[in-house]
Amino acid sequence: MDRPRPFAHLDVQLAPLYRRIMGVFTDNKRRFVVHLRPEDVAEALRHDGGVPVAADAVDDALAKLTEWGNLRADPDAGRVTTVEDFYRARYLYQLSREGEAAERALEVYEQEVGRRGELQAIALEDIRVRLRALKDLAAGDNPDPAIVHNLLLELSGRLDSLAANASAFMTSLQRTIDLQEIEEEAFLAYKDRLIAYLERFVSDLVVKAYDIAATLQDLGDVDGLLQAAAGREAADVAPDESGDPAADKLREWRDRWSGLWSWFVGDRTHPSQASLLRQRARKAIPDLLATISVLQERRAGRSDRSADFRELARWFAQAPGDQDAHRLWRAAFGLTSARHHTAGADAPDVPAATSWLEAPPVEIAPRLRATGSYQRRGQPTKVRDRSAEKEHLARQVAAEREQTEAARRRLATGRPAVLSELGALDRGEFALFLRLLGEALSAGPPGPDGSIRTRTGDGTMEIVLVPLNDGRVATIVTEDGTMYGPDHELTIIDLTVPPSPGPVPREVRV
């Protein structure tokens, strides 16, 4: 038997007739009528409002559908009364598995193509109510698996419907904004209702999505509820060798819950789908108003560039010949001859109709080719003397370097110093002290004794910070105020200065 081709009837000359016949079988299957005779199909075609079909055409169509695998033909011996009837080919037809699957696929395709979608504010309320009920169940002891399972099924179904319809609606709304597949008069007639519809949904989404996100966060760990639902579904799974059905069902429910979470709960790097939908719906309102403004301008007689180009294209299509089309092109875009560009009075007088291949060359200056003029207009820009500003910056950099070096000489002694005994610090010393203290505190983690040893980012100083843990508070007085904090022992070593080979210098307390 040949491989079934259940979609072959869509791309043939009699495709409308085949679609009508398959529709008859589908309608009867919904009424639990499985087998149909050719006369039953012909009778149904006479009452479906379409073009009348002869009985022979119905028989031929049924044979072709059987050949493609859409239908299955079984011998019909129920009405045999004579020998002639027995030898005459009579069949009962029913949908094959491939034909029924193809019809369902086509039905889904037509629904999706024709779906306009909607913004389901009611679905938001349903999700919120069921999440609250789930939260109450989770707060109790031993929640009923049947109730938990039903609530999770309803949540999943409502979320799927909300997401699919919102996506379809926003897609159709974008086509409306772009004025595709819509009549301008119809759009202007219902524009006010569309904008009010968007505003109402956005207001509902702001309130209900926030409440749903808060409920999801309050629920916390719902793995126990998901396991209850997965176990209830796994009890009905037929036994096979594929593995643990409970684990598979639990994995599916975790994926669904993750999708519900990402739809309403997000962060700065990954905003929720509800927030993205809210932003898109809000943006659609000014876009609709801009589209309405464009339509009003068109109705008032004003033109835009797209309308001008469409009208120009119509003129080109109506041009009697190529010469007229060239004349229209030159008139519309101004691309006429450029024979007025000459090198001067001595240039030969060449008619404008002369071809560029036959005309003598014309020398054009590079500036004219780049800018359209031979020389720059106006006076040249004066060169400004910035030596004074450079000297000022140099003095400022030298002063800052001197202050930093002075602070390094006082603080980077290489000897331990207690913070409470540092004394008063000027601005430069305090700025260096804060930078070094910040690098030490952020270097962590501390050692076993609580000390921290690190180097500065430029590698010029080493810092050792040891907490005293005696409860004392260090007080550091500066020109801009007083700093308080736990007392530490601080050692700052200047690595740019080579160690002295002589005796150890006298300790200088800073």
Side-chain angles (χ1 to χ4, degrees):
M1 183 178 179
D2 295 338
R3 184 177 180 181
R5 296 183 296 142
F7 296 100
H9 68 288
L10 300 176
D11 193 23
V12 293
Q13 184 177 2
L14 297 178
L17 174 60
Y18 296 134
R19 295 297 301 131
R20 291 171 62 188
I21 293 176
M22 294 301 295
V24 171
F25 279 92
T26 304
D27 294 339
N28 281 273
K29 182 68 179 294
R30 295 193 184 101
R31 296 194 296 269
F32 304 102
V33 178
V34 179
H35 296 89
L36 292 177
R37 293 183 172 88
E39 54 267 25
D40 299 331
V41 177
E43 182 67 20
L45 293 178
R46 281 195 294 270
H47 294 86
D48 67 351
V51 179
V53 184
D56 295 340
V58 174
D59 292 337
D60 295 339
L62 290 173
K64 291 297 293 183
L65 289 171
T66 305
E67 178 184 347
W68 289 323
N70 298 82
L71 301 177
R72 195 184 76 186
D74 299 320
D76 181 13
R79 296 185 180 182
V80 175
T81 57
T82 63
V83 176
E84 290 79 5
D85 291 339
F86 181 81
Y87 287 106
R88 183 183 304 169
R90 290 176 178 270
Y91 295 101
L92 285 174
Y93 295 94
Q94 65 173 334
L95 283 173
S96 64
R97 288 192 303 173
E98 295 81 4
E100 185 175 359
E103 288 303 307
R104 290 182 179 178
L106 291 172
E107 183 179 0
V108 172
Y109 171 78
E110 292 173 355
Q111 288 177 356
E112 292 299 324
V113 170
R115 173 188 288 181
R116 176 171 174 76
E118 56 188 8
L119 299 176
Q120 296 178 329
I122 298 177
L124 291 171
E125 181 63 23
D126 293 342
I127 293 174
R128 181 170 67 168
V129 170
R130 282 154 180 79
L131 276 176
R132 288 181 176 178
L134 202 63
K135 179 181 176 183
D136 295 338
L137 282 175
D141 297 332
N142 298 323
D144 189 347
I147 300 177
V148 171
H149 185 211
N150 288 331
L151 286 175
L152 289 174
L153 283 176
E154 293 173 358
L155 275 173
S156 178
R158 296 304 285 163
L159 180 63
D160 290 343
S161 176
L162 173 65
N165 280 278
S167 177
F169 178 82
M170 297 312 296
T171 302
S172 63
L173 180 62
Q174 186 60 48
R175 289 196 297 266
T176 300
I177 293 174
D178 297 337
L179 296 178
Q180 301 174 2
E181 302 178 4
I182 188 173
E183 296 292 336
E184 296 181 3
E185 297 293 337
F187 172 67
L188 292 174
Y190 81 100
K191 59 179 175 30
D192 295 332
R193 288 182 291 144
L194 181 59
I195 294 176
Y197 179 76
L198 285 171
E199 291 175 345
R200 180 177 63 84
F201 176 77
V202 169
S203 61
D204 288 343
L205 184 61
V206 169
V207 176
K208 296 177 181 178
Y210 176 79
D211 193 7
I212 291 172
T215 306
L216 285 171
Q217 292 172 344
D218 293 340
L219 271 169
D221 187 12
V222 295
D223 204 60
L225 301 177
L226 300 181
Q227 288 178 0
R232 191 167 185 265
E233 286 186 352
D236 291 335
V237 176
D240 56 12
E241 300 178 357
S242 60
D244 186 7
D248 297 338
K249 294 295 182 181
L250 180 59
R251 191 181 306 109
E252 293 177 5
W253 275 112
R254 284 174 178 171
D255 292 340
R256 294 176 189 173
W257 188 262
S258 175
L260 177 65
W261 181 274
S262 63
W263 229 92
F264 293 100
V265 182
D267 50 31
R268 292 185 177 179
T269 57
H270 299 89
S272 63
Q273 295 297 318
S275 63
L276 296 177
L277 177 60
R278 182 173 67 249
Q279 295 173 7
R280 183 64 189 89
R282 282 177 173 172
K283 184 179 180 298
I285 296 177
D287 291 345
L288 281 172
L289 295 176
T291 303
I292 293 170
S293 176
V294 171
L295 293 179
Q296 294 293 352
E297 290 181 358
R298 291 182 184 178
R299 290 165 64 93
R302 297 177 60 181
S303 180
D304 57 4
R305 182 173 298 179
S306 60
D308 292 341
F309 279 124
R310 285 195 296 269
E311 185 66 24
L312 182 60
R314 189 177 299 109
W315 291 350
F316 274 108
Q318 296 173 354
D322 292 342
Q323 295 296 330
D324 297 307
H326 287 299
R327 289 175 55 197
L328 179 59
W329 175 272
R330 289 192 295 270
F333 298 101
L335 298 179
T336 55
S337 175
R339 294 298 179 190
H340 55 282
H341 288 298
T342 58
D346 298 335
D349 187 9
V350 180
T354 305
S355 171
W356 287 101
L357 296 176
E358 301 174 357
V362 178
E363 296 181 0
I364 299 178
R367 180 179 294 277
L368 177 63
R369 185 167 56 246
T371 64
S373 60
Y374 281 106
Q375 59 185 359
R376 182 187 299 175
R377 297 180 180 179
Q379 298 180 354
T381 304
K382 295 182 179 180
V383 179
R384 184 176 177 180
D385 185 9
R386 299 186 180 275
S387 58
E389 289 85 349
K390 293 181 180 180
E391 292 177 0
H392 173 72
L393 291 177
R395 289 193 300 269
Q396 186 175 1
V397 171
E400 292 177 355
R401 185 183 299 111
E402 183 179 354
Q403 292 177 358
T404 303
E405 292 299 326
R408 288 169 65 99
R409 287 193 297 271
R410 179 181 177 185
L411 296 178
T413 61
R415 295 283 185 177
V418 181
L419 297 184
S420 57
E421 300 177 2
L422 281 179
L425 301 177
D426 59 21
R427 286 192 177 91
E429 295 168 348
F430 186 63
L432 178 61
F433 169 75
L434 283 182
R435 182 170 68 85
L436 298 177
L437 185 63
E439 292 194 13
L441 293 176
S442 62
D449 58 347
S451 63
I452 298 176
R453 178 181 293 270
T454 184
R455 291 189 178 186
T456 58
D458 55 4
T460 60
M461 286 183 285
E462 184 176 352
I463 311 161
V464 180
L465 187 66
V466 181
L468 297 181
N469 299 322
D470 55 1
R472 289 190 299 173
V473 177
T475 302
I476 300 176
V477 181
T478 69
E479 298 178 8
D480 299 319
T482 304
M483 175 182 172
Y484 301 93
D487 207 0
H488 285 70
E489 183 183 79
L490 178 66
T491 305
I492 303 174
I493 304 172
D494 191 351
L495 300 178
T496 60
V497 179
S500 176
V504 177
R506 181 173 57 87
E507 179 180 351
V508 179
R509 186 171 297 279
V510 296

